[in-house]
Amino acid sequence: MQKSLHIDPSKCTGCLQCEMACSYENHGVFNIAKSRIKVFNFEHEGRKVPYTCTQCAEAWCLNACPVDAIRIDAATGAKVVHKDVCVGCKVCTIACPFGTINYVADSGKVQKCDLCGGDPACVTACPTAAITYVDADWTGLEKMRQWAGKTNTQSRASA
Amino acid sequence: MGWARKILRVDLSKGTCKSEPLNMEWAQQYLGQRGLATKYFVEEVDPKVDPLSPANKLIMATGPLTGTMASTGGRYSVITKGALTGAIACSNSGGYIGAELKMAGWDMIIFEGKSPKPVYLSIQDDVAELRDAAHLWGKTTWDTEEIIKSSHHDPQVRVCSIGRAGENGVLYACIVNDLHRAAGRSGVGTVMGSKNLKAVAVRGTVGVSGIRDFKAFMTATTAAKKVLADNAVTGQGLPTYGTQVLMNVINEMGALPTRNAKDVQFEGARKISAEAMHEKRLSDGKANLVTNAACFGCTIACGRISQVDKNHWSVVNSPKYWGATGGLEYEAAWSLGAADGVDDLDALTVANMICNEDGFDPITFGATVGAVMELYTMGVLTKEQIGIEAPFGSAQALLEIAHMTAEGRGFGKEMALGSARLTAKYGHPELSMSVKSQEFPAYDPRGIQGMGLTYATSNRGACHLRSYTVASEVLGIPVKTDPLVTEGKPALVMAFQDATAAFDSSGTCIFTTFAWSLNDLAPQIDAACEGGEAGWSVERLAELGARIWNMERVFNNAAGFTAKDDDLPARLKTEPAQSGPAKGLVSGIDKMVPEYYKLRGWDTAGVPDKETLARLGL
């Protein structure tokens, strides 16, 4: 079963544990400036929104890369940057419609979410389950369950 | 490790910024944040210094867990000699700027001297410089943050600043960060203003890498997070209701100081409670509460984000108050509400916004309004003097006085004094509900006896956060004690004071202690920080807390405070509670203080014995 990151912004409190976990997992340091997932704070609406790569099926970053540094991880379906191949040309950052692949000045390469090889650190760190890792074919399952629960039907026992 | 091992010294008189290595010997004795910054402060500043003179210093300090994955690891503290109190001041704030400072590679910033003109400090990793703030002077904290983000072309820069209150010498001015978090008490913002320092803007991209044992640290912090999630208060109560969960509880106990502590129960408590914040308004069908919110790294998320009805009389012509922003915490709901007899939830929310916007402490402000309302009721202050009729219960008066205080006009100049100086000026010092000139918060010592001793002995003037015995006396954490008796409270207060001093020195939030004890904190510190052969044990942290407490006490004694300053307003000792479970009771403070001194190893004048100081390495 292929899995996918699923984000529910209404559950996000803005604690940034996801950003910390991401930087620690990938850089061995607590540094939100290096995180591949970002939480945006829409202050005057009281909304916080975590945002990262959605792993497009037809990935524009991958197609744009002139040196084939972005490849598909067969196990997770993640589009993964191979750092030893990447030349830091940044064409992928232009191709991505969502801005979720970014240049890192320190290394001279780009970075993006790689689903941590199938065990995303941000998911483990999120205290409110705003970020979950679910069946890619059923990302809407939880929302369906919530709406289903609101339908105006009596239980069979009390009918 | 845990520490960045680097401090920034800013000489505002000379306009210089210099890097210094952190004193690691002191770090072993005082850990960080409150403890370590206070150590620097008492070593460098004369206790007799005028708080508003250039010779006073102001320190912004992180702890070793600030900027790490420890839950709530985003705290920073401001240490100075308080403008309101003349005592050691240590105000703690969350939000994001503490973590940003640590991620820029700094443990603390020491400000000294006074700038000849308004400036702000800009920090971009290891580059720190003072910049002209002429264009920011006269601006609110909200505008200051927006202008700095815009002029830096960086929406990710974090800002703390003073508003007009800090510029105008309001003695209880705050330093506000991230729009609605604040180092709130004792007038730390007033000291900042006296130095012509408008703001600090920080962008940190270095990160925190100096963790002693990353693997052990992740194990310890993950376990501690589970403790918070599994606890009813930190896992459910605080995220759902915020600290406002207490409003109805404390009112039922007869411990809600009402109308300048003339009463201990407020008939309007229900209307300004957490439950009321959740309910849809009749006027526009929306709830006051929009959502809860977390500070950096916090897995509790007690913060309130609120929005008032755009058609509420107080904001109908002021669109800047229409958006969602920081809402009422319990202490502010009490001080702006019960203490003044005001039960209009949206009006309180707006008053709280004004406090954030222009940077002044809602606890002292609301309590001072309560004293003013009592003086008005007595005929000592008139409508002409105040500028508006100001009986208890008037939301109009509360908001007009808030605007005047923010803008420094009319009666706002009198409000700037705080209740101790204001009531004394008008011949009724007994009407100030304060200790060491700082107003006490939302727990009446007649109904919760331990809080009386907490207020009386707090090193920064009356405060609930130095030893929050409400946890024990109301919630049963760690064990339930009877709130109506004084027996056992001196030992309880002392233990809470020491543990709290350790938490305040770590970089974590005191609200974790509804679930955590030092047993939960010690493994996290030990994994993060070098601690020599002994490591960081519970016992070492408790002793460190006692060391910090006594260090603060020695400073205050040298500043001129004596045993007579460890006392409560006469009202709490002579006017019994009128209703509720504490009906007929007064505070038993006079019984508790001598026992407390004895337990502390202090003489009858409240001076630490030589043996006590030697035992603690002071």
Side-chain angles (χ1 to χ4, degrees), chain A residues 7-95:
Chain A
I7 290 171
D8 181 351
S10 72
K11 290 182 179 170
C12 177
T13 63
C15 74
L16 309 190
Q17 285 281 348
C18 55
E19 296 194 19
M20 296 285 276
C22 182
S23 67
Y24 175 62
E25 178 73 21
N26 294 296
H27 297 274
V29 54
F30 297 134
N31 186 354
I32 55 177
K34 293 242 166 91
S35 173
R36 299 166 181 185
I37 185 166
K38 288 281 172 206
V39 178
F40 292 91
N41 185 356
F42 298 91
E43 187 68 41
H44 299 296
E45 301 159 37
R47 288 196 305 134
K48 324 256 187 189
V49 184
Y51 206 79
T52 191
C53 174
T54 57
Q55 314 294 348
C56 306
E58 189 176 321
W60 294 15
C61 60
L62 181 152
N63 289 333
C65 181
V67 294
D68 290 335
I70 304 173
R71 299 171 197 171
I72 300 173
D73 180 325
T76 63
K79 314 305 176 290
V80 179
V81 177
H82 287 252
K83 273 196 283 191
D84 49 344
V85 182
C86 174
V87 294
C89 73
K90 313 183 198 68
V91 169
C92 56
T93 69
I94 299 166

Side-chain angles (χ1 to χ4, degrees), chain B residues 523-548:
Chain B
Q524 300 183 74
I525 304 244
D526 192 54
C529 303
E530 292 294 344
E533 276 181 34
W536 291 94
S537 64
V538 170
E539 295 72 24
R540 181 172 173 183
L541 288 173
E543 187 185 82
L544 178 138
R547 183 178 303 123
I548 293 164

Side-chain angles (χ1 to χ4, degrees), chain B residues 196-450:
Chain B
N196 273 331
L197 177 63
K198 177 66 180 177
V200 179
V202 189
R203 184 81 168 94
T205 66
V206 177
V208 176
S209 54
I211 298 295
R212 185 179 70 80
D213 181 342
F214 262 113
K215 197 159 172 254
F217 186 72
M218 294 304 279
T219 303
T221 53
T222 300
K225 284 172 191 166
K226 185 165 189 315
V227 173
L228 294 176
D230 291 346
N231 181 280
V233 178
T234 51
Q236 294 155 33
L238 284 174
T240 308
Y241 295 113
T243 53
Q244 271 273 63
V245 69
L246 288 167
M247 183 62 74
N248 287 321
V249 174
I250 302 295
N251 191 49
E252 287 299 311
M253 289 183 68
L256 190 70
T258 300
R259 288 175 284 269
N260 206 33
K262 285 156 69 82
D263 296 305
V264 295
Q265 290 186 307
F266 179 40
E267 64 284 356
R270 172 79 189 69
K271 292 170 75 176
I272 60 169
S273 67
E275 291 79 354
M277 288 171 73
H278 274 269
E279 285 164 11
K280 287 180 178 160
R281 285 182 289 255
L282 290 175
S283 55
D284 66 351
K286 292 178 185 165
N288 175 281
L289 183 73
V290 176
T291 183
N292 67 326
C295 295
F296 180 93
C298 177
T299 57
I300 303 172
C302 75
R304 303 291 94 183
I305 302 296
S306 284
Q307 194 161 16
V308 297
D309 181 353
K310 290 172 188 157
N311 290 312
H312 189 269
W313 56 267
S314 64
V315 299
V316 69
N317 295 315
S318 304
K320 65 176 173 172
Y321 300 123
W322 292 357
T325 186
L328 292 166
E329 314 292 333
Y330 172 60
E331 311 300 333
W334 161 80
S335 63
L336 303 165
D340 306 336
V342 178
D343 64 5
D344 180 334
L345 182 65
D346 272 7
L348 303 188
T349 307
V350 175
N352 192 53
M353 286 185 202
I354 296 167
C355 289
N356 287 332
E357 183 189 18
D358 265 304
F360 51 104
D361 171 17
I363 299 180
T364 285
F365 169 75
T368 302
V369 171
V372 166
M373 286 177 166
E374 186 163 2
L375 288 168
Y376 174 85
T377 306
M378 292 160 66
V380 176
L381 283 172
T382 64
K383 180 189 167 189
E384 286 66 39
Q385 285 169 298
I386 301 171
I388 187 171
E389 287 179 14
F392 282 116
S394 171
Q396 284 78 7
L398 172 73
L399 281 168
E400 177 57 16
I401 294 172
H403 283 297
M404 288 192 287
T405 306
E407 295 159 24
R409 64 175 160 87
F411 192 70
K413 295 193 182 89
E414 302 285 288
M415 284 299 299
L417 298 171
S419 72
R421 292 167 178 85
L422 188 151
T423 56
K425 182 172 174 179
Y426 290 99
H428 289 276
E430 76 283 2
L431 296 186
S432 171
M433 295 301 119
S434 62
V435 177
K436 300 180 180 72
S437 301
Q438 177 159 288
E439 293 72 9
F440 64 75
Y443 314 88
D444 197 294
R446 290 166 291 200
I448 308 176
Q449 293 285 335

